[in-house]
Structures are given as structure tokens and as C-alpha cells.
Amino acid sequence: MSETYYEFGTAADRWDRAQMFFEAKEYVTAARILGGLVEEAPEQVAPRLLLARAYYHSARLGRAEEELRAVLETDPVESYARLMLGRTLERQGRRAEAATQLRMAAALEGDFGPGDGGL
């Protein structure tokens, strides 16, 4: 794929552009920009999470799962990544795996379900 104007500029410029495309529901374009940002700084969680969301919304669930698992390797208590992973697995029909991730996300947010005693 050839480079286009939205793949140029500083990392901050591309981050802003990727967010703009995501908000406009141009998920494929946002993912293209975010992919470059993630390659440049794989340790940063925010671009990787937005990339996973762009993949999720464009029905590239395998790629979304890969990005979410990469986030969780770095930060196992990232509750939003757990929630997204659970939803991604649900969309793939992997309900048992999804349930585990969704329970973990809820626990990380302090939602222990009925009878948690208000703790």
C-alpha cells in the first residue's frame, strides 16, 4: 500500500489524525495510521487500544484480539483491554473464553456481582 498524506507528520499529528478518523467512523483509515504508531512505540497502550477498537469496529476480530493480548502482556490489569477482549471473543463465538475475560474486567473495576457486600 502506498503512503498517503495522513501517514506523514509527527507522531502527535498522526495520533490526532487517527483519532479524527476513528471518530468519523473511518476505522480502516484510523487503523492504518495507528498501525504505524504502534510499530514506532509498541510499549504505548493508548494507540494500541485505539487500534484494537478500530479493528473491532471494522470486523477484523483476529487483529483486534492480537492487539488486546499484546496490551495485556504489558499491562495485565488494564480493565478496558480485558472488557474489549471479552467482547471480541464473544463476537467470534468463543463464549467460554469471553466469560473469563469479562469476569476479570468486572473484578478489576470492583464489580464483584451480587452479594459483594458493597466492598
Side-chain angles (χ1 to χ4, degrees), residues 38 42-45 48-49 51-52 62-76 78 81 85:
V38 167
E43 71 286 352
Q44 290 189 358
V45 171
R48 200 175 283 274
L49 275 176
L51 177 58
R63 287 185 169 201
E65 180 181 351
E66 288 173 21
E67 295 302 327
L68 293 165
R69 290 193 187 279
V71 167
L72 292 169
E73 268 184 41
T74 303
D75 187 358
E78 171 54 61
L85 181 56

Side-chain angles (χ1 to χ4, degrees), residues 28-84:
V28 173
T29 303
R32 187 171 171 184
I33 298 165
L34 290 161
L37 289 171
V38 167
E39 282 181 25
E40 290 174 25
E43 71 286 352
Q44 290 189 358
V45 171
R48 200 175 283 274
L49 275 176
L50 192 58
L51 177 58
R53 290 178 64 199
Y55 285 148
Y56 178 87
H57 287 296
S58 60
R60 294 186 283 176
L61 302 176
R63 287 185 169 201
E65 180 181 351
E66 288 173 21
E67 295 302 327
L68 293 165
R69 290 193 187 279
V71 167
L72 292 169
E73 268 184 41
T74 303
D75 187 358
V77 296
E78 171 54 61
S79 62
Y80 187 69
R82 292 257 176 226
L83 174 65
M84 280 190 61

